[in-house]
Amino acid sequence: MTLTLDSILRSAGIDPTEAMVIRHAYVREHEDTGLVGIHADSTDAEILYYTGRQSAKQRVFPVAPPKVWVVFVREGGDRARLWSVVENRREISNDGAVRTFDLSVSDQLADLRNRLVIGWRSPRTWWINGTTAAKYPVMEIADAQPVPFPGFDRLILDYPQLQAVMRDHRYASWRTALASVMGIYLITDTRDGRQYVGKADGAESIRQRWNVYATNGHGGNVELRTLDPSTFRYSLLRVFDPATPESKINEAEEHYKRALDSRTWGLNRN
């Protein structure tokens, strides 16, 4: 059974009947509006700007375009690679020649940007309604590019990012780095600023400890069990080599609890 765009859209919560699908081509100038086109080196901001300016001719662009636009870029032949999903907030202006729309990039299908390739069956049509595009075949879902590890002292993750780091193959190098150290970490509840100082020592690495948080949200900590982890932010205060004596890690943990006053004003109970 051939995989189609329909299942991809629906998995992202996009109803094809309430979406339109666009395939941009690299051109110097838009043939309908005369506006500067896009090219292989165009930035995301330039592509978004280009997408938001459409012809005022009714035969060229829908009179009432839907809220969701799924935007592809022509890759040659009948292939089209996903650029992004954008939300049409409203029409800003219409001077009789060009209509301008207020567009914002959506998180929908964000993990498939530049990876999803579909077969475009209407070579002379650059936009189609979602129900038609839903029948188009998925030709490729490329491997995602690995994300470089930023370094221990630059690591700040929200809860969805933590879960991605622990599960997504793009973050394999991050997991390797976190598995190589023990240390002291900080969890901040961004709703009220309260902080929790924790440690990973003995046979437990930072990766192992954080993987528990990614799984259940609280890591077994009593004070965190009653809170929603969706607003937690994770960072490292200090890392140690696995050969470091446990007593030294305990001293460091105690120092940070006192320095941040996390027992009195934060989420530490001991």
Side-chain angles (χ1 to χ4, degrees):
M1 183 177 179
T2 302
L3 177 64
T4 64
L5 184 58
D6 181 77
S7 59
I8 300 292
L9 294 177
R10 294 187 185 280
S11 69
I14 300 174
D15 184 344
T17 65
E18 299 177 357
M20 66 182 296
V21 180
I22 292 173
R23 184 184 72 161
H24 288 320
Y26 294 139
V27 293
R28 290 186 177 183
E29 182 179 283
H30 195 289
E31 62 180 18
D32 294 309
T33 64
L35 297 174
V36 176
I38 58 173
H39 49 80
D41 295 322
S42 292
T43 65
D44 286 342
E46 290 170 338
I47 296 175
L48 183 64
Y49 178 87
Y50 177 75
T51 306
R53 276 125 189 99
Q54 299 293 340
S55 173
K57 298 177 181 178
Q58 294 185 15
R59 64 176 179 80
V60 175
F61 196 72
V63 175
K67 183 177 181 179
V68 178
W69 302 3
V70 185
V71 183
F72 289 80
V73 174
R74 182 177 180 177
E75 197 171 64
D78 62 349
R79 293 167 60 91
R81 187 175 295 271
L82 178 67
W83 173 68
S84 188
V85 177
V86 298
E87 178 186 342
N88 169 28
R89 294 172 174 171
R90 63 189 178 93
E91 183 175 338
I92 300 173
S93 65
N94 184 340
D95 63 7
V98 177
R99 298 168 68 189
T100 303
F101 295 87
D102 177 16
L103 304 181
S104 65
V105 175
S106 169
D107 289 334
Q108 292 173 303
L109 297 181
D111 60 329
L112 292 179
R113 290 175 189 165
N114 300 310
R115 298 176 56 211
L116 172 65
V117 177
I118 64 172
W120 194 266
R121 292 174 170 171
S122 305
R124 296 187 179 183
T125 304
W126 62 272
W127 76 266
I128 52 179
N129 60 60
T131 52
T132 299
K135 302 173 186 177
Y136 284 8
V138 172
M139 301 182 71
E140 177 186 343
I141 298 179
D143 288 340
Q145 292 296 314
V147 180
F149 182 63
F152 297 117
D153 57 346
R154 295 184 178 181
L155 196 61
I156 300 176
L157 306 172
D158 60 25
Y159 190 59
Q161 289 172 326
L162 176 68
Q163 292 180 310
V165 166
M166 292 299 143
R167 300 168 185 172
D168 194 319
H169 71 273
R170 293 178 300 162
Y171 296 96
S173 65
W174 296 43
R175 292 192 292 274
T176 299
L178 294 173
S180 70
V181 295
M182 299 183 294
I184 311 301
Y185 57 85
L186 184 70
I187 300 176
T188 302
D189 188 342
T190 58
R191 286 171 296 194
D192 53 24
R194 290 189 296 168
Q195 297 176 319
Y196 175 88
V197 175
K199 67 176 179 179
D201 59 5
E204 188 174 50
S205 66
I206 292 291
R207 174 186 174 178
Q208 290 170 305
R209 190 74 191 109
W210 280 12
N211 187 55
V212 178
Y213 286 113
T215 301
N216 62 25
H218 54 74
N221 304 120
V222 176
E223 193 68 19
L224 302 183
R225 285 181 181 273
T226 60
L227 302 176
D228 180 358
S230 65
T231 55
F232 287 177
R233 187 176 63 200
Y234 304 79
S235 59
L236 292 171
L237 296 175
R238 187 175 176 183
V239 295
F240 294 94
D241 182 273
T244 304
E246 189 173 341
S247 60
K248 187 173 182 179
I249 299 176
N250 289 338
E251 290 175 3
E253 181 189 27
E254 177 63 22
H255 165 74
Y256 283 110
K257 286 180 179 178
R258 293 177 61 192
L260 297 171
D261 217 355
S262 62
R263 291 190 180 97
T264 303
W265 306 109
L267 296 168
N268 286 108
R269 286 194 175 183
N270 55 19

